[in-house]
Amino acid sequence: MEDYYYGSIDDENSDQYSDRVDDDDEEDSVDGLQDQELCSKDTSCTVIRQESLLAAQKEVLQKAMDLLSLKEHHARTLLIYHCWDVETVSKVFVERGKERLYSEAGLSVRSSKDLNSSLSSDEVTCQICFKHVNAYESSMMDCGHCFCNICWTKHFIMKIQEGQSRRITCMANKCEAICDQENVRNLVSTADPHLATMFYKILLESYVEDNKKVKWCPSVPHCGNAIRVERDEYCEVECACGVQFCFSCSSEAHSPCPCLMWKLWKEKRQDESGMVNSTNTKYCPKCHKPVEKNGGCNRVRCLCGQQFCWLCGGKTSTSIADHHPCGQYKDDRLEKDGLAKRQPWGYSHSCIQFKAHTDSLELEARLQSRLNSKIEILEEKNHELRDFSWVTVGFNRLFRSRRILSYSYPFGYYMFYDDQFKYAMEQNVREPKQNLFENHQEQLQAKIENLSEQLFDDWEERDVLDTRRQIITLSTVINNLCKNLYDCIEELLPPEHIIVPYRSMGVKKASEFH
């Protein structure tokens, strides 16, 4: 069984999204697409591996040390308090002064001379246990308070076990000064080396867990990598292990669906998983025999010759001009039944569309090897086209755009069918805005299915040049349609919701931190 889909846009919009590329511009078009693929590494986000985590932390520590002429442990105390944000440290320093900056963070900076002068004798009386000990059996923190090492050690162990490793305060009454982390580690290691190692690991990983610009990769099992972004925290990134995720919520990459809507959608899917029946077999509308889908395209053909739409089950023709608007949900009962009855029907529609396109993503990913085989065969025949990179470019465009289309359906459900976001627009404008949004979905879906058919259909040697032209053209058109869908969603979004901006090259691929 083969998959077919011939989509098209309405004639009235054909001028806006032309399917033709002039011969003079064709080479520039494919070169531009190839350049996008080659330049996909993004230096504004970096992969920090486990062995590089200390170096990444020290890089930030050095900036704070240079800014304020601090020792490393003082800089660490300051940065942990300000979530490892050197810009915030600099801003507080300029606006409030050094003394205020230090006091708020619990940082006491005293010179070695001042600390040494505080020890007036070789013997010290610990004010906790009231024992007299030699000076070398006691420790003085930066705040000037001195106690015996036994009491310090007990205090540190208790604080670490209570989960206060990042900011362990002095034992003295009403003293909020943060203790030197090296002193803590050295004293605890004598009594409990394992706990001292855990303490060091917590301080090291604080750079990731307390830093809003650094997050662990959510891979399962965990790859051990962290991702750091330099500027935009609302982005989607790809780790070196291949996992793509939303940096804002650490969930899978889900744009153009906002984080809250995606969270609600996942919860609803889990709660109502039995509501929609989306198996991999549907019945032909002509002969009524079961048809199994084995490709990514959503136009399928039964053995009896009838083509039909996998999404809605409706008959379709073989004409490329055939326009099948099944992406737009219509129900005459919606107007009279109101929102209470819109919700289950709207959810059923959105769920079916979402499932169909995510299934197509998986199937098309498996079929990528078929494209590689076609390229090898054509290269062996010494075809006049020696460069077939446009096939890979077209496949990448198909994969990205279908993912975008998939995640637009959860957004559409919560925007137009669920009452949680009904405040976002007036009732009298809801229908025209919904029609506009679904029209964007419909146009994009038609071109995606057409590109899928062009990529995975059997090629004849005489058709390679034409196929190349069509794939390049469709890739360009789909890129524009994706951008238009994003623009439409951004206009519809309530002000408090943000989506990741559209990136033609797809999810940011993080570069390696050295």
Side-chain angles (χ1 to χ4, degrees):
M1 190 274 294
E2 298 174 348
D3 291 1
Y4 293 89
Y5 194 106
Y6 294 90
S8 65
I9 355 177
D10 295 334
D11 292 339
E12 62 184 9
N13 296 318
S14 59
D15 292 337
Q16 184 178 0
Y17 307 111
S18 173
D19 287 359
R20 296 182 178 83
V21 175
D22 295 337
D23 292 338
D24 294 338
D25 298 333
E26 185 176 322
E27 293 299 330
D28 294 337
S29 298
V30 71
D31 289 343
L33 291 170
Q34 290 171 5
D35 290 343
Q36 289 178 356
E37 301 299 322
L38 293 172
C39 301
S40 58
K41 287 284 184 180
D42 197 308
T43 56
S44 66
C45 58
T46 51
V47 176
I48 301 174
R49 300 185 184 273
Q50 285 181 320
E51 58 269 22
S52 306
L53 185 55
L54 179 60
Q57 187 185 82
K58 284 184 175 293
E59 180 186 68
V60 182
L61 285 169
Q62 191 62 51
K63 291 179 181 179
M65 291 164 64
D66 294 341
L67 177 66
L68 299 166
S69 300
L70 290 172
K71 294 181 180 179
E72 184 175 301
H73 71 276
H74 291 147
R76 183 180 286 107
T77 297
L78 202 58
L79 285 168
I80 287 177
Y81 179 77
H82 289 286
C83 299
W84 294 92
D85 191 339
V86 178
E87 293 180 2
T88 300
V89 172
S90 177
K91 183 179 179 181
V92 175
F93 172 63
V94 171
E95 294 179 352
R96 304 180 189 177
K98 182 181 289 187
E99 185 176 345
R100 182 79 176 272
L101 173 68
Y102 289 177
S103 64
E104 288 179 351
L107 182 61
S108 179
V109 180
R110 301 178 65 182
S111 66
S112 300
K113 183 179 179 180
D114 292 337
L115 293 175
N116 292 332
S117 63
S118 300
L119 293 173
S120 56
S121 66
D122 294 336
E123 190 176 79
V124 174
T125 300
C126 176
Q127 297 301 311
I128 301 297
C129 64
F130 298 104
K131 291 182 179 179
H132 300 288
V133 297
N134 293 325
Y136 65 84
E137 294 177 313
S138 66
S139 296
M140 179 178 290
M141 297 300 149
D142 293 329
C143 56
H145 292 122
C146 182
F147 303 102
C148 74
N149 288 340
I150 294 176
C151 289
W152 275 124
T153 302
K154 291 179 179 178
H155 173 69
F156 294 152
I157 289 175
M158 180 185 69
K159 291 296 182 181
I160 293 172
Q161 291 175 340
E162 290 177 352
Q164 301 181 35
S165 298
R166 291 174 174 82
R167 291 175 56 80
I168 298 179
T169 55
C170 174
M171 285 192 293
N173 186 35
K174 295 183 179 180
C175 182
E176 298 296 327
I178 305 301
C179 297
D180 180 350
Q181 298 95 354
E182 282 304 313
N183 282 345
V184 175
R185 185 183 178 189
N186 291 335
L187 289 173
V188 173
S189 63
T190 303
D192 191 337
H194 175 72
L195 192 65
T197 301
M198 186 180 75
F199 170 75
Y200 172 74
K201 183 180 179 183
I202 291 172
L203 288 183
L204 182 63
E205 294 180 348
S206 165
Y207 173 73
V208 178
E209 295 173 0
D210 299 333
N211 193 337
K212 66 180 181 179
K213 293 187 177 181
V214 185
K215 288 191 176 179
W216 294 114
C217 171
S219 56
V220 179
H222 188 214
C223 65
N225 297 337
I227 306 293
R228 181 176 70 184
V229 298
E230 300 298 334
R231 296 181 295 274
D232 189 9
E233 296 164 36
Y234 289 97
C235 62
E236 292 175 339
V237 296
E238 180 177 326
C239 178
C241 70
V243 169
Q244 297 181 348
F245 66 99
C246 171
F247 192 84
S248 177
C249 67
S250 294
S251 182
E252 63 184 272
H254 54 76
S255 67
C257 183
C259 294
L260 176 57
M261 291 184 181
W262 177 244
K263 178 176 179 292
L264 294 172
W265 176 263
K266 287 199 301 182
E267 292 173 352
K268 188 173 182 66
R269 289 269 291 169
Q270 290 173 355
D271 294 340
E272 304 180 26
S273 58
M275 180 177 177
V276 178
N277 181 21
S278 298
T279 63
N280 220 37
T281 302
K282 292 191 178 182
Y283 292 92
C284 172
K286 181 180 178 181
C287 68
H288 307 292
K289 292 181 179 179
V291 177
E292 182 181 1
K293 183 182 179 187
N294 63 359
C297 182
N298 285 313
R299 169 166 291 194
V300 296
R301 183 174 60 188
C302 178
L303 292 175
C304 71
Q306 177 63 53
Q307 294 191 28
F308 66 95
C309 176
W310 185 260
L311 300 175
C312 68
K315 294 181 181 180
T316 58
S317 70
T318 58
S319 172
I320 197 168
D322 177 38
H323 188 56
H324 194 65
C326 66
Q328 188 171 6
Y329 177 63
K330 293 181 175 63
D331 191 334
D332 295 334
R333 293 172 292 181
L334 295 185
E335 288 299 323
K336 63 180 181 180
D337 289 349
L339 186 61
K341 291 189 178 180
R342 285 169 58 97
Q343 288 179 337
W345 292 101
Y347 175 70
S348 177
H349 163 74
S350 301
C351 200
I352 289 172
Q353 296 284 334
F354 174 79
K355 182 68 164 60
H357 288 294
T358 51
D359 286 348
S360 291
L361 274 174
E362 296 179 5
L363 289 167
E364 286 165 344
R366 294 179 202 151
L367 293 174
Q368 187 176 14
S369 59
R370 184 190 297 180
L371 294 179
N372 296 333
S373 299
K374 289 180 180 180
I375 294 173
E376 292 175 1
I377 292 172
L378 290 170
E379 287 176 340
E380 289 176 359
K381 291 182 178 180
N382 294 319
H383 195 274
E384 59 183 9
L385 284 177
R386 298 300 179 88
D387 182 12
F388 291 93
S389 58
W390 49 272
V391 180
T392 303
V393 171
F395 176 81
N396 289 340
R397 179 63 60 199
L398 171 67
F399 195 86
R400 293 168 186 164
S401 57
R402 196 182 285 283
R403 188 190 66 82
I404 289 169
L405 181 61
S406 301
Y407 290 104
S408 71
Y409 283 100
F411 165 81
Y413 167 71
Y414 283 104
M415 199 76 247
F416 298 110
Y417 295 106
D418 190 85
D419 58 357
Q420 295 185 67
F421 299 92
K422 63 181 180 181
Y423 67 89
M425 66 183 74
E426 299 294 333
Q427 187 61 36
N428 61 327
V429 300
R430 180 179 296 274
E431 184 176 353
K433 287 188 175 182
Q434 181 178 351
N435 290 337
L436 176 63
F437 167 72
E438 291 178 344
N439 186 48
H440 282 295
Q441 283 183 314
E442 183 183 325
Q443 293 179 10
L444 179 58
Q445 177 181 305
K447 291 304 176 186
I448 286 174
E449 304 300 352
N450 201 354
L451 179 58
S452 181
E453 184 270 333
Q454 290 292 336
L455 283 168
F456 296 110
D457 193 15
D458 291 332
W459 299 350
E460 296 182 15
E461 188 170 339
R462 64 178 182 275
D463 294 328
V464 171
L465 286 172
D466 183 60
T467 301
R468 175 181 182 272
R469 186 179 298 107
Q470 291 193 51
I471 288 177
I472 292 171
T473 303
L474 282 167
S475 298
T476 304
V477 171
I478 288 173
N479 182 46
N480 292 332
L481 291 172
C482 286
K483 178 65 169 64
N484 291 339
L485 180 62
Y486 266 75
D487 291 343
C488 177
I489 290 175
E490 287 178 341
E491 291 179 5
L492 291 170
L493 274 176
E496 67 272 18
H497 294 274
I498 300 175
I499 62 170
V500 176
Y502 175 64
R503 283 174 54 89
S504 177
M505 295 180 289
V507 174
K508 291 182 179 181
K509 294 182 180 179
S511 57
E512 192 78 19
F513 173 82
H514 297 288

